[in-house]
């Protein structure tokens, strides 16, 4: 296998009418988080553990129904600051993703919950080290050379 | 992130601005799929799904190839850098999650909250 690391980051911003403490609870309370996290309908939960405190670990595994591939998410919470209705809070965690036995990325995510009127401005920023070309369970039947070209280009940037 | 032309990224993210297309990209991030497989979980006709697929193909996110009567789609490694593929997959997953979180927050709104 060719060894490589690609670095990437992205940011998503949303605004909700719910105040920051309610949005925070949707991340902090396991029953609430189970309502929206995970992989949606295309994904069947296999295993879940949840320890929401600084230094605590959360693990979630699930099987993608169409492919049978099992994805594993494992994170450590590095910083947790609950917001109030008028002061910002944040959740920062580092995490590793596996597809079946293969480690595909090591990442850090920062979620900021900022009071915005009566509601919440939500900012997610993720940074990832994306490992060994992410050969996602054999989807690249024809693209190995093209991917290597793309990889070299990315690494050159 | 890299030096891809901004216009290319604009098309990529415009294609990802729709929840149906995000569902398709999220599915394709797990591996190739036929048009029928992509359309099956969606609350729309095959023709409707194919219109969304057309937008994804025009953005360069997805390519498809027809063998016999079966058209198979995949995320396109030639048009997207690895970083873009990674970001597109993670971003699509998060956009869908946050759609669900927004719906959950609305549904669990206590009395008296604006």
């Amino acid at each position: 296998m060719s060894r490589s690391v690609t670095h990437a980051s992205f940011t998503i911003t949303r605004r909700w009418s719910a105040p920051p403490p309610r949005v925070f609870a949707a991340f902090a309370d396991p029953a609430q988080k189970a309502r929206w996290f995970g992989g949606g309908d295309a994904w069947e939960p296999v295993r879940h553990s949840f320890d929401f405190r600084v230094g605590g670990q959360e693990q979630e595994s699930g099987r993608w129904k169409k492919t049978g591939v099992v994805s594993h998410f494992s994170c450590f919470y590095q910083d947790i600051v609950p917001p109030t209705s008028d002061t910002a809070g944040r959740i920062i965690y580092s995490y590793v993703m596996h597809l079946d036995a293969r480690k595909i990325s090591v990442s850090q995510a920062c979620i900021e919950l900022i009071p915005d009127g009566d509601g919440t401005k939500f900012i997610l920023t993720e940074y990832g080290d994306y490992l060994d070309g992410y050969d996602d369970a054999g989807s690249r039947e024809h693209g190995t050379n093209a991917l290597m070209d793309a990889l070299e280009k990315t690494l050159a940037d | 992130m890299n030096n891809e032309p901004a216009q290319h990224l604009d098309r990529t993210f415009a294609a990802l601005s729709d929840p149906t297309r995000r569902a398709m990209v999220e599915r394709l991030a797990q591996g190739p799929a036929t048009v029928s497989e992509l359309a099956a979980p969606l609350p729309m006709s095959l023709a409707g799904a194919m219109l969304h697929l057309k937008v994804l193909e025009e953005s360069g996110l997805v390519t498809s190839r027809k063998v016999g009567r079966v058209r198979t789609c995949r995320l396109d490694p030639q048009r997207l850098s690895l970083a873009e593929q990674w970001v597109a997959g993670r971003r699509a997953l998060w956009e869908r999650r946050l759609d669900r979180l927004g719906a959950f927050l609305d549904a669990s709104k206590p009395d008296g909250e604006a």
Side-chain angles (χ1 to χ4, degrees), chain A residues 14 22 36 126 130 153, chain B residues 4 86 94-95 105 113:
Chain A
R14 295 269 177 124
R22 275 194 59 223
W36 63 271
E126 278 208 19
Y130 172 68
K153 178 172 175 301
Chain B
E4 285 292 326
W86 183 87
W94 263 110
E95 296 275 11
L105 291 169
E113 184 176 297

Side-chain angles (χ1 to χ4, degrees), chain A residues 11 14 16 18-19 22 36-38 40 64 93 95 124 126 130 136 139 142 146-147 151 153-154 157, chain B residues 2-4 26-27 29-30 32 74 78 81-82 86 90-91 94-95 97 99-102 105 108 113:
Chain A
T11 297
R14 295 269 177 124
W16 289 305
R22 275 194 59 223
W36 63 271
F37 199 74
W64 294 88
Y93 58 90
Y95 73 95
L124 166 75
E126 278 208 19
Y130 172 68
D136 49 13
S139 73
H142 69 99
L147 268 172
L151 178 62
K153 178 172 175 301
T154 303
D157 284 343
Chain B
N2 57 38
N3 294 330
E4 285 292 326
E26 190 182 329
R27 168 62 188 85
Q30 302 303 314
R74 67 189 71 229
Q78 300 192 36
S81 71
L82 285 173
W86 183 87
R90 292 299 299 170
R91 193 181 174 96
W94 263 110
E95 296 275 11
R97 272 183 189 152
D99 289 346
R100 292 195 296 268
L101 175 54
L105 291 169
S108 60
E113 184 176 297

Side-chain angles (χ1 to χ4, degrees), chain B residues 5-69:
Chain B
Q7 194 182 7
H8 182 190
L9 279 179
D10 285 349
R11 282 202 304 274
T12 301
F13 290 128
L16 288 173
S17 68
D18 177 89
T20 297
R21 295 195 290 272
R22 290 198 293 271
M24 289 176 160
V25 169
E26 190 182 329
R27 168 62 188 85
L28 291 172
Q30 302 303 314
T34 65
V35 174
S36 312
E37 286 171 340
L38 283 178
L42 302 175
M44 63 180 62
S45 66
L46 188 62
M50 288 179 77
L51 286 177
H52 284 291
L53 199 53
K54 185 162 179 282
V55 175
L56 287 171
E57 290 198 58
E58 286 171 355
S59 77
L61 273 168
V62 170
T63 57
S64 70
R65 191 171 53 170
K66 194 168 187 179
V67 177
R69 298 182 59 185

Side-chain angles (χ1 to χ4, degrees), chain A residues 55-139:
Chain A
Q57 186 173 18
E58 176 175 10
Q59 298 192 69
E60 184 160 48
S61 302
R63 181 175 290 107
W64 294 88
K65 291 175 183 172
K66 285 286 184 187
T67 60
V69 171
V70 175
S71 62
H72 306 273
F73 164 87
S74 173
C75 93
F76 283 99
Y77 288 100
Q78 308 291 3
D79 192 37
I80 297 174
V81 178
T84 68
S85 55
D86 54 10
T87 59
R90 62 178 175 261
I91 301 166
I92 303 176
Y93 58 90
S94 52
Y95 73 95
V96 175
M97 287 291 302
H98 286 78
L99 286 182
D100 293 330
R102 181 159 184 196
K103 186 183 293 180
I104 61 165
S105 64
V106 181
S107 307
Q108 178 163 301
C110 176
I111 289 158
E112 295 168 83
L113 304 173
I114 301 167
D116 181 15
D118 293 332
T120 303
K121 183 180 181 187
F122 169 97
I123 306 172
L124 166 75
T125 306
E126 278 208 19
Y127 163 83
D129 291 326
Y130 172 68
L131 307 176
D132 302 330
Y134 185 18
D135 190 1
D136 49 13
S139 73

